[in-house]
Amino acid sequence: MDIRVSGHQVDTGEALKLHVTDRLQGIAGKYFSRALSAQATFGKGPHDIGFTCDIVAHVMQGLVLKASNRGHDAHVAFDGAADRIEKQLRRYTRRLKDHHGGRANGIEAAEPAVRDDAGYTLFLEDGEAEEAADSPLIVAETRVDVPDATVSDAVMMLDLRNTNALLFRNSGTGAYNMVYRRGDGTIGWVEPERAVR
């Protein structure tokens, strides 16, 4: 597993790098035989008090886990974020075992492939920096594959990807649907109306 440790205005020493590598290797080995990569990024906390840690783990193609935490110490911030990653993996493997009738050997087939180059592109024309108060900044996400999934699988992907919304193709109806996290913490499901012909 490729593990990268970096810091924004923070020096990451060898002891911290060793701690991060050992913990993430242990988590990956516990749940998956071969994980792809992980990135742990440390930064200064709000008002330069404490530390923040953001972890992005590519467990397998299509499954990206994200977690972040704050702490008074870099090790504490990392441990909290790593605990969240481990909890997400535990839930994911439990759901896969429930979905596959007690066996989790269908892990590769359970998640659709998603391009690894998914990121954000900001479009801002010259001279628009001052006029942003009237219209919001346009953010466009690069192309990704829309997964075929049931509604319950889409909710699971929404939780695992730690995003606010997920567009998917409903495997039962063939229509494009969306699940999203509402402000009160519940999950919303959008299904388009079918045209009567």
Side-chain angles (χ1 to χ4, degrees):
M1 179 174 174
D2 179 33
I3 298 175
R4 296 182 185 171
V5 180
S6 61
H8 288 293
Q9 300 176 350
V10 173
D11 183 29
T12 56
E14 288 302 316
L16 182 60
K17 288 180 182 179
L18 183 63
H19 178 65
V20 169
T21 303
D22 289 345
R23 178 82 192 272
L24 290 179
Q25 288 282 11
I27 292 171
K30 185 175 179 181
Y31 294 100
F32 290 97
S33 58
R34 54 180 176 85
L36 300 177
S37 66
Q39 169 78 33
T41 306
F42 293 89
K44 293 193 181 264
H47 310 292
D48 291 337
I49 299 172
F51 294 89
T52 61
C53 178
D54 297 317
I55 300 174
V56 177
H58 297 269
V59 179
M60 59 188 202
Q61 187 165 356
L63 179 60
V64 179
L65 304 175
K66 298 177 184 178
S68 61
N69 193 36
R70 287 188 228 169
H72 65 280
D73 180 72
H75 290 272
V76 173
F78 168 74
D79 287 336
D83 288 343
R84 290 180 181 168
I85 292 287
E86 187 169 11
K87 184 177 181 181
Q88 290 174 2
L89 278 172
R90 186 173 47 250
R91 284 182 178 170
Y92 179 68
T93 54
R94 186 180 315 129
R95 286 179 182 171
L96 281 179
K97 286 179 183 176
D98 291 344
H99 183 72
H100 292 288
R103 65 185 202 293
N105 58 359
I107 289 174
E108 288 293 329
E111 278 290 323
V114 176
R115 292 172 47 138
D116 289 333
D117 64 350
Y120 291 98
T121 305
L122 299 178
F123 296 100
L124 183 63
E125 294 180 13
D126 294 336
E128 279 191 24
E130 307 327 275
E131 301 172 18
D134 291 350
S135 60
L137 182 66
I138 299 170
V139 179
E141 195 168 337
T142 60
R143 281 186 260 170
V144 295
D145 293 329
V146 177
D148 282 337
T150 63
V151 177
S152 62
D153 287 345
V155 171
M156 179 178 65
M157 285 186 242
L158 179 77
D159 287 339
L160 291 172
R161 293 178 182 179
N162 207 14
T163 60
N164 291 327
L166 175 72
L167 177 68
F168 67 100
R169 186 169 182 205
N170 192 325
S171 59
T173 63
Y176 289 98
N177 291 182
M178 180 184 297
V179 289
Y180 63 95
R181 189 169 313 283
R182 298 168 46 121
D184 60 358
T186 59
I187 303 292
W189 173 26
V190 178
E191 185 171 25
E193 271 189 50
R194 296 196 179 261
V196 178
R197 293 182 183 181

